[in-house]
Amino acid sequence: MSQSEIPLVDFAIYHEAGGKEKLGKQIAHVLKTAGFMYVKNHGVPQEKIDAVFIASTDVFHLPMEVKASRLRSSKFEPSCGYVPMGREKLDQPKREEVRESYNYIPYDDQRLPHEVPEFGMACRDLFDESWEFSKKFLQCLAVGLGQENENVFAEDSHHFIGRPGNFTTLRIQHYPARSMSNEEGESLTRCGAHTDYGTLTVLYQDDVGGLEVESTPGHFMPVTPIPGTVVINIGDIMQRWTSDTLRSTVHAVTFGKPDRNSKERQSIAFFLHPDDDYIVTCLDGSTKYPPISGKDYLRERLYASFTNYFGRSE
Ligand SMILES: O=C(O)CCC(=O)C(=O)O
Ligand SMILES: [Fe+2]
């Protein structure tokens, strides 16, 4: 990425004649170069985003024993639930991550925090709105890449979204404030450097900041929060699907510098995954990567990033 800034795409032209084509060209270009973009006029109502931020604040402030009674399943299966600090380590070499999260999928109400009754419905609404926007985005992308079928990345491969047979998840993340010495700061981070796994990630962030993307190897650039925008990037399965034409970009969330006494932060990520049984093959007809099902691909990736999880240890 040679740009000094993350590009901003205006989705307002989607409904205009030729809008899909224009947007498709822009977003395909960004995903071949920068890999990350802001999108404004995305159509996801701000009050639905705020509702999840507000309800999840209450969820994260529940007593630990309540949160711990709603742990995400430890099997490889779609599951709602709480993911405590230390469960995930994305960094290489692995540093302690000061982050807790809650995974939401619409068809598992077993581990919902019923103490905050509005949480489930707020998540459901934002899940649906995020998919509505993602569908449009993915249609534009298919058009921008010259695909005949504009739904190849949308309904055709995400038919079971929100239902058994698809792993798409809305994940709410909480990064508590933490004062630390410089020495401690070397061994802790908020979210280690990683790429996402799925088709697309739609990220809603609060105004604290800390998200950074790797613009050139080893050089990270801040994704400063811009009100009214969402942040979009693709994940590894989309890079594979497009035979590395599109770029799944490394990113991380850091503590503020220089004193590292960062404010508490929250973000909401909509991680889109193809259907479990959908076979992803290189779209250009090449054999660069063998065909793989959505589920097998995700299994490989989750095993690598969860510690003491799915019956494995580091
Ligand atoms: O919290 C953020 O801003 C991003 C977190 C992230 O990249 C992830 O969970 O994959
Ligand atoms: Fe990520």
Side-chain angles (χ1 to χ4, degrees):
M1 179 162 41
S2 55
Q3 292 100 321
S4 57
E5 285 186 349
I6 310 290
L8 171 65
V9 171
D10 186 350
F11 228 70
I13 61 168
Y14 176 81
H15 292 290
E16 289 174 12
K20 273 190 195 172
E21 288 72 16
K22 276 188 208 147
L23 283 167
K25 269 200 188 128
Q26 278 178 43
I27 64 185
H29 175 72
V30 176
L31 292 175
K32 286 175 187 173
T33 51
F36 263 73
M37 72 193 84
Y38 299 100
V39 174
K40 67 175 180 180
N41 294 314
H42 44 71
V44 180
Q46 188 62 43
E47 60 273 19
K48 297 205 170 170
I49 303 168
D50 294 343
V52 175
F53 274 119
I54 293 165
S56 60
T57 302
D58 290 347
V59 170
F60 288 120
H61 288 99
L62 287 170
M64 185 47 91
E65 59 273 20
V66 175
K67 293 190 282 188
S69 68
R70 311 287 154 69
L71 284 187
R72 184 186 163 185
S73 163
S74 60
K75 295 194 191 115
F76 177 64
E77 59 188 3
S79 151
C80 267
Y82 176 66
V83 183
M85 228 165 275
R87 179 63 69 85
E88 242 185 17
K89 285 184 184 169
L90 297 169
D91 221 18
Q92 295 292 347
K94 293 183 187 296
R95 280 182 294 177
E96 214 47 62
E97 301 192 355
V98 183
R99 164 170 66 135
E100 57 180 346
S101 38
Y102 188 92
N103 275 18
Y104 173 84
I105 52 160
Y107 53 92
D108 171 21
D109 57 7
Q110 300 272 317
R111 300 171 187 87
L112 275 178
H114 299 293
E115 295 75 7
V116 184
E118 62 279 21
F119 178 73
M121 192 47 81
C123 288
R124 172 80 228 205
D125 277 354
L126 190 58
F127 185 102
D128 291 345
E129 293 285 354
S130 302
W131 172 227
E132 282 309 308
F133 164 67
S134 301
K135 247 190 299 196
K136 294 181 188 137
F137 184 95
L138 290 167
Q139 284 170 349
C140 293
L141 179 59
V143 170
L145 290 177
Q147 289 297 307
E148 262 174 40
N149 174 8
E150 69 171 30
N151 281 314
V152 62
F153 302 131
E155 274 110 337
D156 288 4
S157 44
H158 297 75
H159 184 69
F160 290 100
I161 201 144
R163 291 182 285 154
N166 185 291
F167 261 92
T168 298
T169 302
L170 187 76
R171 169 179 260 216
I172 303 97
Q173 328 221 49
H174 176 229
Y175 304 90
R178 174 81 79 96
S179 304
M180 66 190 85
S181 64
N182 267 340
E183 204 179 27
E184 251 186 313
E186 297 305 318
S187 61
L188 296 175
T189 189
R190 281 194 144 159
C191 176
H194 67 282
T195 51
D196 292 343
Y197 314 143
T199 319
L200 187 78
T201 303
V202 179
L203 182 82
Y204 308 93
Q205 50 173 343
D206 65 12
D207 61 359
V208 174
L211 175 64
E212 299 183 354
V213 306
E214 192 174 36
S215 47
T216 49
H219 178 258
F220 283 80
M221 181 192 290
V223 188
T224 307
I226 302 179
T229 66
V230 293
V231 175
I232 304 289
N233 63 288
I234 58 150
D236 300 338
I237 203 158
M238 181 63 103
Q239 176 169 329
R240 177 180 175 126
W241 211 340
T242 58
S243 308
D244 299 327
T245 305
L246 303 184
R247 180 170 175 223
S248 173
T249 308
V250 174
H251 53 285
V253 183
T254 61
F255 283 106
K257 284 180 182 159
D259 60 5
R260 293 201 168 94
N261 293 326
S262 286
K263 281 165 56 185
E264 178 176 28
R265 176 175 189 268
Q266 267 178 241
S267 68
I268 308 165
F270 180 64
F271 293 118
L272 199 60
H273 296 284
D275 292 337
D276 294 353
D277 294 335
Y278 185 82
I279 305 294
V280 171
T281 43
C282 293
L283 278 173
D284 61 1
S286 76
T287 51
K288 191 160 187 185
Y289 298 103
I292 192 162
S293 73
K295 190 168 185 176
D296 286 346
Y297 186 75
L298 190 61
R299 184 189 289 114
E300 271 177 22
R301 300 304 310 274
L302 286 178
Y303 277 174
S305 64
F306 278 79
T307 57
N308 301 316
Y309 211 39
F310 306 133
R312 293 162 58 114
S313 57
E314 260 186 296

